[in-house]
Amino acid sequence: MSETPAQLWRALVSADPTRPFVTSYDSSGGRVELSRATFDNWVSKTSNMLVDGLGVQPGDRVVIALPVHWQSLAWLLSCWSVGAVAEFVPDGGDIPAGAQVAVAGAGLLESALDSGADEVVGTSLHPLGLPLSEVPPMVLDYSVEVRGYGDRFPAYPVDPAGPALRSAGARTGADLAAGARERAAAWGLSADDRLGLFLEPDAPMTALGGGAELLLAPVAAGSPIVVTPVDPAAPAKVVERAEMEKVTVVGTAAGTAPLDGMPFRSVGRV
């Protein structure tokens, strides 16, 4: 029977809610670590916000105009939890028009409003989830709004054959889940690994791969994720951070400058 990304996520949380899920660094060196249970709290709140606050129905489009960040990962899993179609914005590209919801950082809020989305949500991407410093008219501040929603979201009857992601082409939920398991097996990922995502600062969500493999493969395998920006001018700092976080496997996006001499197994570039 076909699986969905939401089912992969629920199985991961149920297996051991206390294990770390994502450790995220920003360019300033700020660090935040979220367990599976804590991250699931954000996923559940965001899912409730999508359904009860923004009126999202299965099949509706949600444009995620954010860089790879723990909050953007939460939005992605929330879309799949409610049966919405997550849509990525190509690096340097325009925000796709006519979505039900567009989610953007402070620098893209005007573009999100101009896209004609029914609802525009802004997020500061502060490591600790602090609000935006300024909120334009007709924009909802994610960090303020989401806290009012429930931290439990009942399992939704999501059709595995329904569209789930629009990035490099369109993929169904079944495509994404099957691709995640295939990639996890090909990469040899297990629950004993910690996957480091070494990405350019503010890397777009397309850096996760056409099927979001750099997120979903570790979800399928039970491998915690460490997201850190790459500074090619100071590779020793990245290695030191990865060793401190006990990274065992490194994944990088196509277009990311390679770092030579890394003492970790590489799963290649997607």
Side-chain angles (χ1 to χ4, degrees):
M1 184 175 180
S2 297
E3 294 179 291
T4 66
Q7 289 172 321
L8 294 180
W9 173 246
R10 295 306 324 152
L12 181 72
V13 176
S14 298
D16 187 349
T18 64
R19 284 203 72 190
F21 172 63
V22 61
T23 304
S24 185
Y25 286 85
D26 62 20
S27 297
S28 70
R31 176 186 185 275
V32 61
E33 180 175 283
L34 293 90
S35 69
R36 295 172 183 175
T38 301
F39 193 83
D40 187 54
N41 182 272
W42 282 91
V43 171
S44 295
K45 283 180 172 292
T46 307
S47 298
N48 282 311
M49 179 178 173
L50 281 169
V51 174
D52 296 334
L54 303 175
V56 170
Q57 300 293 321
D60 284 345
R61 295 166 51 222
V62 178
V63 174
I64 304 177
L66 298 171
V68 177
H69 182 277
W70 69 262
Q71 286 188 21
S72 56
L73 300 184
W75 272 98
L76 191 50
L77 285 165
S78 299
C79 287
W80 294 331
S81 295
V82 306
V85 183
E87 190 162 351
F88 294 165
V89 180
D91 192 13
D94 295 330
I95 294 178
Q100 176 76 14
V101 179
V103 189
L108 288 177
L109 289 177
E110 291 301 326
S111 296
L113 288 167
D114 290 343
S115 75
D118 290 352
E119 302 282 357
V120 174
V121 181
T123 175
S124 68
L125 296 180
H126 188 279
L128 301 179
L130 296 183
L132 289 161
S133 57
E134 295 184 14
V135 184
M138 307 301 293
V139 171
L140 296 172
D141 189 331
Y142 172 63
S143 296
V144 173
E145 299 292 333
V146 76
R147 297 179 190 277
Y149 290 91
D151 54 11
R152 294 288 183 273
F153 185 78
Y156 232 54
V158 176
D159 181 4
L165 179 64
R166 296 173 73 174
S167 179
R171 307 205 186 189
T172 67
D175 292 336
L176 295 177
R181 290 204 179 277
E182 290 170 6
R183 193 60 66 99
W187 288 346
L189 291 180
S190 75
D192 295 327
D193 285 311
R194 288 177 72 91
L195 177 66
L197 300 188
F198 293 178
L199 305 172
E200 298 289 347
D202 298 322
M205 292 291 280
T206 52
L208 295 175
E213 295 93 345
L214 286 176
L215 167 64
L216 288 176
V219 167
S223 310
I225 302 170
V226 179
V227 182
T228 184
V230 170
D231 182 359
K237 180 183 293 186
V238 178
V239 174
E240 179 182 351
R241 180 177 292 168
E243 289 178 332
M244 180 185 72
E245 297 290 354
K246 298 181 172 56
V247 167
T248 61
V249 186
V250 171
T252 55
T256 302
L259 296 174
D260 297 327
M262 298 291 284
F264 314 105
R265 188 170 95 249
S266 174
V267 297
R269 303 155 78 81
V270 300

